[in-house]
Amino acid sequence: MQLTRLAFIGTRGHYRLVLDALPRLPHVRVVGLCDGSTGPVDPLTTWCQQNGHSPEAFHDYRKMLDTTRPQAVIICGPFEHHASMSIDAISRGIHVLVEKPAALTFEDLDRLRRAHQEHPDIHLASMMASRYSPGFFTAWKLIRDGAIGDVRLLNARKSYKLGSRPDFYRERETYGGTIPWVGIHAIDWVLWMAGQPMESVCAVHSGVSNEDLGTMERSALCQFTLAGERFACVSIDVFRPPAAPSHGDDWIRVVGTDGVIESRPQSLSLINRDNDGSAPVPLMPTTSMFEDFTAHVEGRSHALLDASSTFTITQAALAARESADTGRIVSR
Amino acid sequence: MQLTRLAFIGTRGHYRLVLDALPRLPHVRVVGLCDGSTGPVDPLTTWCQQNGHSPEAFHDYRKMLDTTRPQAVIICGPFEHHASMSIDAISRGIHVLVEKPAALTFEDLDRLRRAHQEHPDIHLASMMASRYSPGFFTAWKLIRDGAIGDVRLLNARKSYKLGSRPDFYRERETYGGTIPWVGIHAIDWVLWMAGQPMESVCAVHSGVSNEDLGTMERSALCQFTLAGERFACVSIDVFRPPAAPSHGDDWIRVVGTDGVIESRPQSLSLINRDNDGSAPVPLMPTTSMFEDFTAHVEGRSHALLDASSTFTITQAALAARESADTGRIVSR
């Protein structure tokens, strides 16, 4: 089947990545918009007007789902409602692309997992958009193709500027924490590229020097043990200086038995039997997150992001946060 | 007083760094050599012959210390004898520059600490030679001078080629482990640059894929909590590919409230209020490890490496190894 009917809930997060892809998918029509308690959907409304879409607007997202009957929904509501909104869509047979993290608590994650178990044919994906960066995608492909042998050790980094943050970042209940919000991307890269399940995690985080942003953490470290005595460390901070040339400083290093890869979103270096690391490696072409989502929904391919990866990565991020909160090593 | 009488025990480790500095210290004369159970001292003997030194050679290091009465001794004996040899020198009033780690066990470290407490005027330093790399030295100076504000997060890396390793690497008793042997440098950088005491450490290590090198670990991670909710992670591996342009891939990143420094032994980048990171930062001139040691012994300055840093760093490395061995967070 073709995905022709799409709806949006909320504008908190990366819904624009979907808008950016829509012109390349002219058969996908926006049929419904809902503020999803994130405030006015003005930017969505404006975009639709300018791009020839005529969605109905709602304040109640369930009513929108029942009225406009979309085949898929983009969920960028309040973080603490990601899971509930996703469950409401899944139970209606609607495919879901939800901002990460898909759940802010283990309880919500379990509820989401159970809802999906009852509708296993529904496509559920969370917005780990950086998998579609040419650098990270190429790293993953090279590793999968054996360029560095058996993966033994991974180091990853997320570093952001603080900028000015809306009030919901101040509270754990509405923000979720810097490990699940910022760090989850790097957690995703290490588990995805290692291709191994997590066994335990030891993490730390701190809100010191957070410029009165309540409980928002500005620094964190997560140390994962994966199957087979493979290890991964993730460094997270929101201290990137305002003068830095980019908002983020994403980076990963993957050490294998036969080589080492270092990757950023738009570059990659490789040292192995055939490469001494001096020449940049050509990056492979990638699709975009929403085109991949659509292809999956339409049965044309299996997306890089699916329900399984959504559960795995959300679980790992929440386990890391629990470790940092409790000061204990967490195995779950 | 001038340091005029120097002796060497053993040739396991970085004694050559001392030889390299001796031509710049013509008043320092080598008076004694001892094999120190590390095998023949041929390279030392040859160097002395070629450079106008006429030391006596011994098989018993205590006899050498008592006979040649050096003012200072360079200890590069078997790793498991570092502490005992240092204690024997300290108790004779002889200054000590010992290969790291200064002790392979907590018990030996405690014995060494007690011996030094009884002779607090004796200069004891271990060979954290990388502090004298222009890149790391400049990083430390800039941080101390406030270039990045309050240090909140540190990431450091040691990565080496495996090469061919002598048999003593195969046994924990004679090698000590990859965290104390390789990782200790990066552990040193993070504690030195943070200028904060360690509160706890969670570490992991693995000897998988070690090409039949017994218990030798090839990968490790150490996650430190320092005072004031400051965090540091250290990544250690011996998987650097043979094709890599250098034996080691030393690197540190230090995140402060007002800036970020990344440093390698011969380069440094800085992002802060005045720097966007695009221009390499000029490196400051440094002395060498042994010239610094000599200046300290002669009362001309306080060395970068002293007894206090030796105890602190050795303790941190052994605590990390204990954490990795036991799977527990270690606070000590």
Side-chain angles (χ1 to χ4, degrees), chain A residues 150 152-155 157-159 202-209 218-225 228-229 231-237 239-241 243-245 249 251 253 255-260 262 264 271-273 275-276 327-329, chain B residues 150 152-155 157-159 202-209 218-225 228-229 231-237 239-241 243-245 249 251 253 255-260 262 264 271-273 275-276 327-329:
Chain A
D150 183 25
R152 300 299 313 155
L153 188 70
L154 306 97
N155 317 137
R157 171 171 73 241
K158 289 292 294 186
S159 173
C202 184
V204 289
H205 58 186
S206 170
V208 166
S209 297
R218 284 192 83 181
S219 62
L221 294 174
C222 309
Q223 184 172 282
F224 291 93
T225 295
E229 297 183 25
F231 309 126
C233 62
V234 167
S235 178
I236 306 155
D237 70 83
F239 279 112
R240 188 156 167 81
D249 185 21
W251 168 85
R253 173 175 177 265
V255 178
T257 50
D258 296 326
V260 176
E262 281 189 63
R264 294 170 179 276
I271 307 180
N272 64 6
R273 204 166 289 122
N275 298 272
D276 68 1
R328 291 199 304 266
I329 298 171
Chain B
D150 183 23
R152 299 301 313 157
L153 189 70
L154 305 98
N155 316 138
R157 171 172 72 241
K158 288 292 292 185
S159 173
C202 184
V204 290
H205 58 188
S206 170
V208 166
S209 297
R218 284 193 82 181
S219 62
L221 295 173
C222 309
Q223 184 172 282
F224 291 94
T225 296
E229 297 182 28
F231 310 126
C233 63
V234 167
S235 178
I236 306 157
D237 72 80
F239 280 112
R240 188 156 166 81
D249 186 22
W251 168 85
R253 174 174 176 266
V255 178
T257 49
D258 296 328
V260 176
E262 281 190 64
R264 294 171 177 274
I271 306 179
N272 63 7
R273 203 165 290 120
N275 297 273
D276 68 1
R328 291 200 304 267
I329 299 171

Side-chain angles (χ1 to χ4, degrees), chain A residues 62-119:
Chain A
R62 292 185 194 84
K63 193 170 168 197
M64 177 187 75
L65 296 178
D66 291 333
T67 307
T68 65
R69 304 182 63 81
Q71 296 154 293
V73 62
I74 310 301
I75 297 179
C76 290
F79 298 177
E80 69 274 24
H81 295 159
H82 284 169
S84 298
M85 289 173 165
S86 299
I87 291 167
D88 280 329
I90 291 169
S91 64
R92 284 166 172 79
I94 299 167
H95 304 290
V96 170
L97 179 58
V98 58
E99 179 59 279
K100 37 59 60 170
L104 287 201
T105 65
F106 284 120
E107 295 67 32
D108 271 1
L109 180 59
D110 288 343
R111 289 199 304 127
L112 180 60
R113 205 183 260 118
R114 284 196 301 273
H116 190 263
Q117 278 166 354
E118 292 175 15
H119 300 268

Side-chain angles (χ1 to χ4, degrees), chain A residues 127-320:
Chain A
M127 294 189 177
M128 308 295 186
S130 52
R131 284 197 186 188
Y132 300 92
S133 299
F136 295 132
F137 177 76
T138 303
W140 173 74
K141 285 278 279 183
L142 286 171
I143 292 166
R144 240 181 41 149
D145 294 346
I148 60 169
D150 183 25
V151 171
R152 300 299 313 155
L153 188 70
L154 306 97
N155 317 137
R157 171 171 73 241
K158 289 292 294 186
S159 173
Y160 278 160
K161 297 179 183 179
L162 183 62
S164 71
R165 302 270 166 176
D167 267 354
F168 74 86
Y169 281 85
R170 303 174 53 83
E171 305 288 341
R172 170 63 69 87
E173 288 67 28
T174 51
Y175 172 48
T178 298
I179 290 176
W181 174 243
V182 177
I184 195 167
H185 292 292
I187 293 170
D188 178 38
W189 309 331
V190 298
L191 291 172
W192 178 47
M193 294 193 196
Q196 298 287 336
M198 161 189 155
E199 292 186 344
S200 66
V201 58
C202 184
V204 289
H205 58 186
S206 170
V208 166
S209 297
N210 75 354
E211 304 190 0
D212 289 326
L213 273 168
T215 61
M216 182 185 173
E217 302 88 2
R218 284 192 83 181
S219 62
L221 294 174
C222 309
Q223 184 172 282
F224 291 93
T225 295
L226 314 181
E229 297 183 25
R230 295 172 177 89
F231 309 126
C233 62
V234 167
S235 178
I236 306 155
D237 70 83
V238 196
F239 279 112
R240 188 156 167 81
S246 60
H247 175 61
D249 185 21
D250 295 358
W251 168 85
I252 189 168
R253 173 175 177 265
V254 188
V255 178
T257 50
D258 296 326
V260 176
I261 279 179
E262 281 189 63
S263 175
R264 294 170 179 276
Q266 303 295 335
S267 65
L268 187 148
S269 76
L270 168 65
I271 307 180
N272 64 6
R273 204 166 289 122
D274 308 315
N275 298 272
D276 68 1
S278 57
V281 176
L283 301 183
M284 299 175 190
T286 63
T287 182
S288 72
M289 180 175 69
F290 185 65
E291 285 167 281
D292 200 29
F293 177 90
T294 301
H296 187 115
V297 165
E298 295 180 349
R300 292 183 279 116
S301 66
H302 192 100
L304 283 184
L305 298 169
D306 61 9
S308 171
S309 61
T310 298
F311 297 138
T312 298
I313 305 307
T314 310
Q315 176 83 22
L318 295 181

Side-chain angles (χ1 to χ4, degrees), chain B residues 103-304:
Chain B
L104 286 202
T105 65
F106 284 120
E107 294 68 32
D108 271 1
L109 180 58
D110 287 343
R111 290 199 304 127
L112 180 60
R113 207 183 257 118
R114 284 197 301 273
H116 190 263
Q117 278 166 354
E118 292 175 14
H119 300 268
D121 295 336
I122 293 300
H123 182 37
L124 167 67
S126 61
M127 293 188 177
M128 308 296 187
S130 51
R131 285 198 187 187
Y132 300 92
S133 300
F136 295 132
F137 177 76
T138 303
W140 173 73
K141 285 278 278 183
L142 286 171
I143 293 165
R144 239 180 40 149
D145 294 347
I148 61 169
D150 183 23
V151 171
R152 299 301 313 157
L153 189 70
L154 305 98
N155 316 138
R157 171 172 72 241
K158 288 292 292 185
S159 173
Y160 279 160
K161 296 179 182 178
L162 184 62
S164 70
R165 300 271 167 176
D167 267 354
F168 74 85
Y169 280 85
R170 302 175 54 83
E171 305 288 342
R172 170 63 69 86
E173 288 68 27
T174 51
Y175 172 48
T178 297
I179 291 176
W181 174 243
V182 177
I184 196 168
H185 291 292
I187 293 170
D188 179 38
W189 307 332
V190 299
L191 291 172
W192 178 48
M193 294 192 195
Q196 297 288 337
M198 160 191 156
E199 291 185 344
S200 66
V201 59
C202 184
V204 290
H205 58 188
S206 170
V208 166
S209 297
N210 75 354
E211 304 191 2
D212 289 326
L213 274 168
T215 60
M216 182 183 174
E217 301 88 2
R218 284 193 82 181
S219 62
L221 295 173
C222 309
Q223 184 172 282
F224 291 94
T225 296
L226 314 181
E229 297 182 28
R230 296 171 177 90
F231 310 126
C233 63
V234 167
S235 178
I236 306 157
D237 72 80
V238 196
F239 280 112
R240 188 156 166 81
S246 60
H247 175 60
D249 186 22
D250 295 358
W251 168 85
I252 189 168
R253 174 174 176 266
V254 188
V255 178
T257 49
D258 296 328
V260 176
I261 278 180
E262 281 190 64
S263 174
R264 294 171 177 274
Q266 303 296 335
S267 66
L268 187 148
S269 76
L270 168 65
I271 306 179
N272 63 7
R273 203 165 290 120
D274 308 315
N275 297 273
D276 68 1
S278 58
V281 175
L283 302 184
M284 299 176 191
T286 63
T287 183
S288 72
M289 180 176 67
F290 185 64
E291 286 167 280
D292 201 30
F293 177 90
T294 301
H296 187 115
V297 164
E298 296 181 346
R300 291 184 279 115
S301 65
H302 191 100
L304 283 184

Side-chain angles (χ1 to χ4, degrees), chain B residues 9-15 36 38 61 73-90 96-105 108-109 111-112 115 124-128 168 173-176 180-181 184 310-311 314:
Chain B
I9 302 174
T11 53
R12 187 172 291 178
H14 297 86
Y15 68 96
T38 58
Y61 75 88
V73 62
I74 309 302
I75 296 178
C76 289
F79 298 177
E80 70 274 25
H81 296 158
H82 283 169
S84 298
M85 288 172 166
S86 299
I87 292 167
D88 281 329
I90 291 169
V96 170
L97 178 59
V98 59
E99 179 59 278
K100 37 71 348 190
L104 286 202
T105 65
D108 271 1
L109 180 58
R111 290 199 304 127
L112 180 60
L124 167 67
S126 61
M127 293 188 177
M128 308 296 187
F168 74 85
E173 288 68 27
T174 51
Y175 172 48
W181 174 243
I184 196 168
T310 298
F311 297 138
T314 310

